[in-house]
Amino acid sequence: MPFCWNEGYEVSLVDAMFSSFSAVCVTGLAAVEIGLVFNMTGQLVMLALIQIGGLGIMTATSLIFMALGKRFSLSDRLTMQESLNEDKLQGVVRMTRSATFLTFGCELAGAALLSIRFIPEFGWAKGIYYSVFHAVSAFCNAGFDVFGKGTNFMPYAQDPLVLITIMALIVVGGLGFLVVLESGRWAMHGFRGRLSLQAKVVLIATLFLIVAGTVIICVVEWNNPETLGIPSFSAGDKILNGAFQSVTTRTAGFSSFRQGGMHSVSALVTILLMFIGASPAGTGGGVKTTTCVVMLSLLVAIIRGREDVTILRRRINWQTVLRSIAIILLGMIFVGVMTFIVTTLESNRFDTSRILFEVVSAFGTVGLSQELTPLLCPASKVAIICCMYAGRVGLITVMTAISMRMAKGNGKIRYAEERIMVG
Amino acid sequence: MPFCWNEGYEVSLVDAMFSSFSAVCVTGLAAVEIGLVFNMTGQLVMLALIQIGGLGIMTATSLIFMALGKRFSLSDRLTMQESLNEDKLQGVVRMTRSATFLTFGCELAGAALLSIRFIPEFGWAKGIYYSVFHAVSAFCNAGFDVFGKGTNFMPYAQDPLVLITIMALIVVGGLGFLVVLESGRWAMHGFRGRLSLQAKVVLIATLFLIVAGTVIICVVEWNNPETLGIPSFSAGDKILNGAFQSVTTRTAGFSSFRQGGMHSVSALVTILLMFIGASPAGTGGGVKTTTCVVMLSLLVAIIRGREDVTILRRRINWQTVLRSIAIILLGMIFVGVMTFIVTTLESNRFDTSRILFEVVSAFGTVGLSQELTPLLCPASKVAIICCMYAGRVGLITVMTAISMRMAKGNGKIRYAEERIMVG
Ligand SMILES: [K+]
Ligand SMILES: [K+]
């Protein structure tokens, strides 16, 4: 897309590929400064890619979930599915319509709030454009900014209106469409009636991760002059920015302070939160909150010697449990291998923990960066592209697709059991 | 044990505790230089603790495995168990006797080979003592040295006799008593007849890990002047030391070059190998080779949509599979939490990847160190002690013991199944 660059800038093929992948995968890792290097055409192309990426993933995953739900509908009483009882096609149309309304509604509301700040600062045209772009970028958990100064949201670190609006958009986008709709209805009915397991787990896990992340980051960074310890910050500012960091890791990727300036403890917390990511059928990435909850419940069940894996007094079927294990283990192995490859390619130039940060950020389609991505060699950039792609498409999907072909012609042979000692 | 120190040295309570735990857990991480600070009484106490630790763990785990084997003996045809068919008590006595013979036999042979080098160098008394101490320390995968110069086996980096003897002792000690006995018989019968799944998996996995580790370390470190790239090293010396590093990580903890001088890629490989560790019912630590093989087989089964987890055309029962998952996931979570705690305690003084190295080394009871342990604050040393203890006793044992008490009075309630979206 050479017509997308501003004059005077040359963009290498790898960097151009990097940017497109980053946009479609709603990662937000940028090899070049978008607001500076891309002209208006380029930026609008990016905006369209982000919006399509976000909306597409949200509706597609919701549809798959609901389609699967059909098969299990006897044993299952998700409130959502009742709306599907009429007719398949009608249901799909209705759902896509609601998702689109929800998305544009949230983005419009967010843009309106942002414009209160941006129109006085940048004038009408630029102010409205900035409001819309960043509202879309936040709701779709893309994390791109077009301020063009390489500072992301750092200039707004003391502006609660901007930060809280962005945080709200990120969280709602990441909850997953079905959960948002269900909790919306539930709230309208005065918080009465039963929520589905999905909604309960997602809401509780999201709240827990945001609060825990905020507390740890605030405690660790309170007096760090490179992050929250800036002299002009009040206690309120510190908490606001700690919360922003906690929210943005899952998995928007905006930043209100320099990520490279973080204490190593906060960097570890950030890596963990980026790996966990958002919730299924939302616009966020990562291995997803519910996956982690299922895995922890499995561990509890094994340790307590239970036969069933249960969450909040509901049994989880084994297929889901196995899927969770596979997602998390494959994710860890993939991140480990990729960190290994990039460390090898960069041959001792950078610290391993910083490389891990970038790899997890790409895998979780987060886009936070400890200022490392632009410095990487082209081969490493390709590796990071693979991380984004795998993180977005899902490792299982990739691996299953590969093994589908290999499995052809393998009959069902059941082998004799033999014991093996482990641990 | 204040009577154990040499005059002129003061050992803090934490350091004394550290050394005892390190010996009993056959870790080999040393907060003080044993050959220098401990007098002969202290060193002999250490030697006894190591020998008891190594032999105890080997026989105890073998006995448990054989006791469990009794229950499954119909579906199982381990050659080993045939020897138990006579009488329970007699079997236990026989097994303990064979294990003791094997241990002392290997240690004696190793000491004899080492004495060829050590007696000329240190004279009769000290030479024999050094040969015995290091043979025991190697076979028990303890990794303590008493040279007292803080250089471990670095002075012998160009001495194939010493290094290969130590490597052989480490490998045989780590294979597990039952596997050694079975392969011994198999070799005596001219490599004919069927090996048990246990023996096959252990032998293949061990060979694979040693070779893969050697190749990667040699390739990465070939020209690094701090490790294999020492000008006086011939190609043979480089390969020898690469292989020594690969073997010692699982989980003896001797070193023939400075661990802190390694390239970050080799450090990553070392961390992985230390985490995997040796094989069950051996003297080594880590999560064990078989556990990892079972976990990988589970992943393959999930991806290929198979109902059974199979290894080498044998089915693995679900209890074993679940145990493997629990061991590996708990291990990863534990290592993560401990790294997090130590990073917090040291508050940005050391790099996270170096802390991870020490934590995994303690958890796997390896004892390799990037020269960090002596510099840690007392609270961090206690955390490292916890890692050694958890690594030796096994996290599952600890957690199950805790939950046993909690589970009292919980009836068997089966909850309704509810679906949840993951990934
Ligand atoms: K993102
Ligand atoms: K050791």
Side-chain angles (χ1 to χ4, degrees):
Chain A
M1 308 178 288
F3 56 86
C4 299
W5 326 135
N6 272 327
E7 272 174 50
Y9 287 98
E10 279 190 37
V11 179
S12 71
L13 180 67
V14 168
D15 287 345
M17 244 175 76
F18 199 98
S19 305
S20 327
F21 262 94
S22 192
V24 178
C25 298
V26 291
T27 308
L29 272 178
V32 294
E33 185 62 37
I34 293 157
L36 203 66
V37 176
F38 281 35
N39 59 22
M40 192 44 90
T41 320
Q43 291 185 17
L44 288 179
V45 169
M46 289 290 269
L47 185 62
L49 287 176
I50 293 167
Q51 181 68 81
I52 293 165
L55 193 61
I57 286 154
M58 200 166 69
T59 48
T61 45
S62 300
L63 283 173
I64 290 166
F65 182 59
M66 290 168 82
L68 285 174
K70 276 305 217 194
R71 286 204 297 164
F72 297 103
S73 51
L74 275 175
S75 65
D76 208 315
R77 279 176 229 160
L78 265 182
T79 358
M80 285 316 307
Q81 278 162 279
E82 285 161 24
S83 69
L84 262 178
N85 281 348
E86 23 208 335
D87 178 53
K88 247 190 196 161
L89 189 68
Q90 211 185 341
V92 169
V93 171
R94 272 180 63 142
M95 212 218 63
T96 314
R97 213 172 49 195
S98 329
T100 315
F101 272 130
L102 181 80
T103 303
F104 287 128
C106 288
E107 288 171 359
L108 208 66
L113 286 168
L114 289 177
S115 67
I116 298 174
R117 192 70 72 212
F118 288 163
I119 292 178
E121 192 177 340
F122 299 102
W124 281 94
K126 213 170 178 185
I128 291 177
Y129 171 64
Y130 276 11
S131 304
V132 171
F133 191 98
H134 295 112
V136 172
S137 185
F139 186 82
C140 295
N141 272 277
F144 286 105
D145 77 284
V146 281
F147 297 123
K149 295 173 201 148
T151 50
N152 210 287
F153 275 85
M154 290 173 217
Y156 302 95
Q158 287 174 284
D159 190 333
L161 175 71
V162 172
L163 290 198
I164 291 176
T165 306
I166 296 285
M167 277 160 69
L169 287 168
I170 294 170
V171 171
V172 173
L175 283 176
F177 163 63
L178 296 174
V179 171
V180 173
L181 220 58
E182 194 186 336
S183 0
R185 283 185 195 175
W186 183 60
M188 277 195 286
H189 289 87
F191 301 104
R192 270 176 304 194
R194 202 188 141 254
L195 277 176
S196 70
L197 181 64
Q198 173 80 15
K200 275 193 253 174
V201 170
V202 166
L203 292 174
I204 293 172
T206 303
L207 192 67
F208 172 79
L209 288 174
I210 291 175
V211 172
T214 306
V215 169
I216 297 178
I217 291 166
C218 280
V219 168
V220 174
E221 301 290 336
W222 200 262
N223 291 316
N224 181 349
E226 294 202 58
T227 54
L228 304 184
I230 297 168
S232 65
F233 271 22
S234 67
D237 287 337
K238 292 181 186 204
I239 294 172
L240 178 67
N241 281 276
F244 190 82
Q245 174 71 11
S246 176
V247 167
T248 195
T249 55
R250 313 187 26 258
T251 56
F254 288 122
S255 46
S256 67
F257 54 72
R258 219 170 54 77
Q259 300 295 313
M262 267 193 300
H263 193 291
S264 49
V265 174
S266 320
L268 277 181
V269 171
T270 301
I271 289 173
L272 178 66
L273 290 174
M274 293 195 296
F275 187 77
I276 296 174
S279 302
T283 55
V287 297
K288 307 290 178 321
T289 51
T290 46
T291 319
C292 297
V293 172
V294 169
M295 191 208 71
L296 290 177
S297 311
L298 170 69
L299 277 182
V300 170
I302 296 175
I303 291 169
R304 308 194 81 181
R306 295 275 186 276
E307 275 178 26
D308 292 333
V309 176
T310 56
I311 300 173
L312 296 174
R313 312 200 156 195
R314 284 289 175 279
R315 183 155 40 89
I316 308 300
N317 75 40
W318 272 103
Q319 264 185 302
T320 309
V321 173
L322 290 180
R323 210 181 137 79
S324 303
I325 298 169
I327 290 168
I328 289 178
L329 286 180
L330 282 179
M332 284 178 170
I333 293 172
F334 183 81
V335 165
V337 170
M338 279 307 185
T339 305
F340 181 80
I341 290 175
V342 175
T343 310
T344 311
L345 290 172
E346 296 299 328
S347 122
N348 238 1
R349 276 171 62 205
F350 304 109
D351 193 56
T352 311
S353 41
R354 283 180 73 195
I355 292 174
L356 177 67
F357 191 98
E358 307 284 317
V359 166
V360 173
S361 176
F363 176 72
T365 65
V366 185
L368 289 174
S369 168
Q370 292 192 324
E371 294 95 46
L372 198 64
T373 302
L375 307 176
L376 294 174
C377 69
S380 302
K381 282 183 186 167
V382 172
I384 300 282
I385 293 178
C386 293
C387 291
M388 289 195 261
Y389 185 72
R392 186 75 273 182
V393 176
L395 279 173
I396 296 215
T397 320
V398 177
M399 304 284 276
T400 313
I402 296 165
S403 68
M404 284 286 220
R405 295 195 188 169
M406 285 161 43
K408 260 191 234 166
N410 270 354
K412 279 227 170 186
I413 309 158
R414 193 152 209 233
Y415 296 114
E417 188 176 308
E418 183 163 345
R419 216 153 34 84
I420 191 163
M421 251 190 291
V422 294
Chain B
M1 309 180 287
F3 56 88
C4 298
W5 327 135
N6 272 329
E7 273 175 50
Y9 286 97
E10 278 190 38
V11 179
S12 70
L13 179 68
V14 168
D15 286 346
M17 243 175 78
F18 199 99
S19 304
S20 324
F21 262 93
S22 193
V24 178
C25 298
V26 293
T27 308
L29 270 179
V32 294
E33 186 61 40
I34 292 157
L36 202 67
V37 176
F38 282 33
N39 59 23
M40 193 44 92
T41 321
Q43 290 185 15
L44 288 178
V45 169
M46 291 288 270
L47 186 61
L49 287 175
I50 293 167
Q51 183 66 82
I52 292 166
L55 194 59
I57 285 155
M58 201 167 69
T59 49
T61 46
S62 300
L63 284 173
I64 289 167
F65 182 59
M66 290 168 82
L68 284 174
K70 276 304 215 196
R71 287 205 295 164
F72 298 103
S73 50
L74 275 176
S75 65
D76 209 316
R77 278 177 230 160
L78 266 181
T79 359
M80 286 315 309
Q81 279 162 278
E82 284 160 24
S83 68
L84 262 178
N85 280 346
E86 22 207 334
D87 178 53
K88 247 191 198 165
L89 189 66
Q90 212 185 338
V92 170
V93 171
R94 275 179 63 139
M95 212 216 66
T96 314
R97 213 172 49 197
S98 334
T100 316
F101 273 131
L102 181 80
T103 303
F104 287 128
C106 289
E107 289 171 357
L108 207 66
L113 287 168
L114 289 177
S115 66
I116 300 173
R117 193 69 73 213
F118 288 161
I119 291 177
E121 191 175 340
F122 299 104
W124 282 94
K126 213 168 175 184
I128 291 177
Y129 171 65
Y130 277 12
S131 305
V132 171
F133 192 98
H134 294 112
V136 172
S137 185
F139 186 82
C140 295
N141 272 274
F144 286 103
D145 76 286
V146 282
F147 298 122
K149 296 176 200 145
T151 50
N152 211 288
F153 275 84
M154 292 174 215
Y156 302 96
Q158 287 173 286
D159 190 333
L161 175 71
V162 172
L163 290 197
I164 290 174
T165 307
I166 296 284
M167 275 161 69
L169 287 169
I170 294 171
V171 171
V172 174
L175 283 177
F177 163 64
L178 297 173
V179 171
V180 173
L181 219 60
E182 193 185 335
S183 356
R185 287 186 192 177
W186 183 59
M188 277 194 287
H189 290 88
F191 301 102
R192 268 175 307 193
R194 203 190 139 251
L195 277 176
S196 70
L197 180 64
Q198 174 80 17
K200 275 192 253 175
V201 170
V202 165
L203 292 174
I204 295 172
T206 303
L207 191 68
F208 172 79
L209 288 175
I210 291 174
V211 172
T214 307
V215 169
I216 296 178
I217 291 166
C218 282
V219 169
V220 174
E221 302 289 334
W222 199 260
N223 290 316
N224 180 351
E226 295 201 57
T227 54
L228 304 184
I230 296 169
S232 65
F233 272 22
S234 68
D237 288 337
K238 292 180 187 209
I239 293 170
L240 178 68
N241 282 276
F244 190 82
Q245 173 72 9
S246 177
V247 167
T248 194
T249 56
R250 312 182 32 259
T251 55
F254 289 122
S255 45
S256 67
F257 55 71
R258 218 170 55 76
Q259 299 296 310
M262 268 192 300
H263 193 290
S264 48
V265 174
S266 320
L268 276 182
V269 171
T270 302
I271 289 173
L272 178 66
L273 290 174
M274 294 195 295
F275 187 77
I276 295 173
S279 302
T283 56
V287 297
K288 307 291 180 312
T289 50
T290 46
T291 319
C292 296
V293 172
V294 170
M295 191 208 71
L296 290 177
S297 311
L298 170 69
L299 276 182
V300 170
I302 296 176
I303 292 168
R304 306 192 85 182
R306 294 274 186 279
E307 273 177 28
D308 291 333
V309 176
T310 56
I311 300 173
L312 297 174
R313 308 201 161 196
R314 285 288 174 279
R315 184 154 41 90
I316 310 299
N317 75 38
W318 271 104
Q319 265 184 303
T320 308
V321 173
L322 289 180
R323 212 182 135 80
S324 303
I325 298 169
I327 290 167
I328 289 178
L329 285 179
L330 282 179
M332 284 179 171
I333 293 172
F334 183 82
V335 163
V337 170
M338 279 309 186
T339 307
F340 181 80
I341 290 175
V342 176
T343 309
T344 310
L345 290 172
E346 297 299 329
S347 124
N348 237 2
R349 276 171 61 207
F350 305 109
D351 193 56
T352 310
S353 42
R354 283 182 71 196
I355 292 174
L356 177 68
F357 191 98
E358 306 285 316
V359 166
V360 172
S361 176
F363 176 72
T365 67
V366 185
L368 289 174
S369 169
Q370 292 191 324
E371 295 96 46
L372 197 63
T373 301
L375 306 176
L376 293 176
C377 68
S380 304
K381 282 184 185 165
V382 172
I384 300 283
I385 293 177
C386 293
C387 292
M388 289 195 257
Y389 184 73
R392 187 73 277 181
V393 177
L395 278 173
I396 294 219
T397 321
V398 177
M399 303 286 276
T400 314
I402 296 166
S403 69
M404 285 285 217
R405 295 195 189 172
M406 285 163 42
K408 261 191 231 165
N410 269 353
K412 279 226 167 186
I413 310 159
R414 194 150 208 235
Y415 295 114
E417 188 175 310
E418 184 163 345
R419 216 152 35 81
I420 191 164
M421 253 190 289
V422 294

